[in-house]
Amino acid sequence: MANPAPASTRGLAITEHRLANGLRVVLSEDHLTPVTAVCLWYDVGSRHEVKGRTGLAHLFEHLMFQGSANVSNNGHFELVQGAGGSLNGTTSFERTNYFETMPAHQLELALWLEADRMGSLLAALDDASMENQRDVVKNERRQRYDNVPYGTAFEKLTALSFPDGHPYHHTPIGSMADLDAATLEDARAFFRTYYAPNNAVLSIVGDLDPEQTIAWVEKYFGTIPAHDGKQPPRDGALPEVIGREIRELVQEDVPSRALMAAYRLPHDGTREADAADLALTILGSGESSRLYNRLVRRDRTAVAAGFGLLRLSGAPSLGWLDVKTSGDATIEQIETAVDEELARFAAEGPSAEELERAQAQIEREWLDRLATVAGRADELCRYAVLFGDPKRLNDALGKVLDISAEEVKALAAARLRPDNRAVLVYEPTTTDDTADAAETEDEEAAA
């Protein structure tokens, strides 16, 4: 094992270690409260999947809670929660993560559990567990995507924003057909390829003894063999601007008309992405934003208006616009108002007060994120996996606060344009006429 890197000279104290099998370990000691967070990021997400096998990364996240060589099929939950801890896992385009927050004296248990499933999940993976979790994921898709108003918006707009064949064209949930097609051997091959120590970062934050913690990590993870079969994800690079508007109309049983759009924006980790974050905060974050003031307060054509940044590192980020109409307001009214506000912002830029308020809002959100050991552990993994250096966490906020009004204005002018967006329009299938007819039929039946 290499000697630990020196602690950061400012911000969080961060030390790095690397085991002989390639596992990167990041520690941040904090004795304020007697809790410790364990976070494990695997460098695999939906962008690593191939056509016909979408949803496999997310399915495998669920399989990781189905037991391993020394843990029963629900044992991970039972042991962590029985020790007073909390746990979960999530899947994104770019990574899969697993995390526990434990009383400090139960840290060893969390490390043993994560190591046991990294090293021996295949001993417990069988047809029964595969079918069980396949059904769980399919039901999750029904509940969160297929059977809720606007539920497929994220999937549809992502597919519009990234061309067919692009690694980000599909979302992590996957399709029903691909989930049905996934075999036990697909799952085993996926595990062997991606769930290796040299494809992971383990961060541990909180009330810990560094020497003892590294000894436990060596004890439980050190004997797990590395694997070199992983292929890099396909190139996600695209031109800075789409060059045309891409549009789709969706007619569904939804409460009201909706206008949603995704604008192609700079990759995460760049100064331009931070400028984009500030622009979208000013335009569409909260009730003081420009779009909320125009559409909800002044025009009263919308009941909700938001504009946020989906940060992506391996592909262009997306600026996500979401407006729900009010009453009889039309999509044309909404779109005209949005385009007027974006054009005005691109021409004038933010006021000094708007920029200061947006920076303060992002600062508060960032400090809230780092207020918990779990939040810090996750961010350390993020910077290590996606950007190669967990210590970049200590510089992140300062970079946002250093962005100028001119940079925000330039970003808006270059990117927040009609020819740089994918648009999704929802129109309710239930019209006033059919609703009136149904009401008349009910009255006649009652008579």
Side-chain angles (χ1 to χ4, degrees):
M1 182 182 70
N3 291 329
S8 175
T9 57
R10 61 191 179 88
L12 296 182
I14 300 168
T15 59
E16 292 184 75
H17 311 258
R18 190 182 291 271
L19 304 193
N21 59 12
L23 178 67
R24 294 180 66 187
V25 185
V26 183
L27 303 184
S28 183
E29 196 175 349
D30 175 9
H31 301 286
L32 185 62
T33 56
V35 294
T36 308
V38 172
C39 186
L40 188 59
W41 271 41
Y42 290 93
D43 187 7
V44 57
S46 59
R47 67 172 173 168
H48 296 84
E49 296 166 349
V50 296
K51 192 170 185 178
R53 288 296 181 268
T54 65
L56 198 54
H58 179 232
L59 174 60
F60 214 92
E61 173 212 319
H62 285 256
L63 290 172
M64 285 285 277
F65 290 96
Q66 274 290 107
S68 46
N70 299 294
V71 180
S72 67
N73 60 4
N74 199 43
H76 202 114
F77 280 98
E78 292 171 354
L79 288 167
V80 170
Q81 292 172 344
S86 61
L87 72 161
N88 213 332
T90 67
T91 310
S92 77
F93 292 99
E94 301 180 324
R95 59 95 185 107
T96 309
N97 67 347
Y98 303 89
F99 45 92
E100 296 89 6
T101 299
M102 306 289 284
H105 67 282
Q106 297 286 2
L107 170 60
E108 184 180 9
L109 172 63
L111 295 173
W112 174 76
L113 285 166
E114 288 294 357
D116 195 63
R117 60 182 175 182
M118 178 191 282
S120 69
L121 186 93
L122 291 184
L125 184 58
D126 56 20
D127 286 319
S129 59
M130 183 78 174
E131 290 309 311
N132 176 280
Q133 291 307 309
R134 190 200 312 269
D135 288 343
V136 169
V137 172
K138 288 170 66 177
N139 194 48
E140 180 181 338
R141 181 184 170 91
R142 293 185 192 100
Q143 292 180 341
R144 295 177 55 193
Y145 287 75
D146 298 334
N147 298 332
V148 295
Y150 316 107
T152 57
F154 180 58
E155 189 173 48
K156 290 178 183 296
L157 204 46
T158 298
L160 288 178
S161 301
F162 298 109
D164 191 21
H166 190 275
Y168 291 69
H169 179 71
H170 69 279
T171 59
I173 193 67
S175 72
M176 284 292 196
D178 287 357
L179 289 169
D180 283 333
T183 67
L184 180 61
E185 188 47 48
D186 287 334
R188 287 173 173 161
F190 193 87
F191 179 84
R192 294 188 192 103
T193 301
Y194 296 108
Y195 279 76
N198 54 317
N199 194 46
V201 171
L202 173 68
S203 68
I204 309 165
V205 176
D207 189 14
L208 59 88
D209 177 285
E211 186 175 340
Q212 176 63 79
T213 300
I214 290 300
W216 283 331
V217 171
E218 283 278 16
K219 176 181 178 181
Y220 297 120
F221 289 90
T223 58
I224 301 172
H227 180 74
D228 296 324
K230 176 189 172 184
Q231 297 297 314
R234 288 166 292 141
D235 184 14
L238 290 169
E240 289 188 355
V241 175
I242 298 173
R244 64 188 177 93
E245 182 183 87
I246 304 169
R247 199 175 191 90
E248 181 179 333
L249 172 65
V250 181
Q251 293 182 307
E252 287 186 359
D253 185 13
V254 293
S256 66
R257 297 183 179 96
L259 173 69
M260 302 183 191
Y263 292 76
R264 187 177 291 177
L265 295 175
H267 291 238
D268 191 17
T270 63
R271 188 173 180 89
E272 292 77 15
D274 289 338
D277 201 356
L278 287 164
L280 301 193
T281 299
I282 294 166
L283 286 165
S285 180
E287 296 184 3
S288 64
S289 67
R290 289 195 180 196
L291 290 177
Y292 190 94
N293 277 318
R294 170 71 185 270
L295 298 168
V296 181
R297 283 206 172 102
R298 197 192 91 178
D299 296 354
R300 298 187 178 181
T301 53
V303 294
F307 208 179
L309 181 64
L310 174 62
R311 288 179 176 263
L312 298 171
S313 67
S317 301
L318 296 178
W320 210 270
L321 175 72
D322 186 350
V323 182
K324 305 295 193 307
T325 63
S326 173
D328 295 327
T330 66
I331 293 298
E332 290 75 19
Q333 287 176 292
I334 296 292
E335 200 160 12
T336 297
V338 167
D339 286 344
E340 286 176 358
E341 290 301 318
L342 296 189
R344 183 165 69 90
F345 188 74
E348 301 173 359
S351 68
E353 181 184 356
E354 284 178 320
L355 181 60
E356 182 180 2
R357 184 167 62 243
Q359 289 174 323
Q361 183 174 335
I362 291 174
E363 180 177 18
R364 177 185 57 78
E365 292 167 355
W366 179 245
L367 295 177
D368 283 347
R369 176 78 172 139
L370 299 188
T372 67
V373 290
R376 273 173 268 159
D378 193 54
E379 289 296 337
L380 286 170
C381 279
R382 171 176 167 252
Y383 280 99
V385 171
L386 299 182
F387 307 113
D389 183 6
K391 293 185 177 68
R392 284 184 60 171
L393 175 150
N394 282 327
D395 301 323
L397 179 60
K399 290 179 178 178
V400 174
L401 300 181
D402 189 49
I403 300 291
S404 69
E406 281 302 314
E407 289 175 281
V408 175
K409 175 184 174 182
L411 183 284
R415 301 296 190 101
L416 301 182
R417 302 166 11 192
D419 66 345
N420 187 37
R421 68 187 177 198
V423 177
L424 196 62
V425 173
Y426 276 87
E427 287 283 353
T429 53
T430 304
T431 64
D432 292 339
D433 292 340
T434 57
D436 291 343
E439 185 177 335
T440 301
E441 290 175 4
D442 291 341
E443 290 173 352
E444 290 174 350

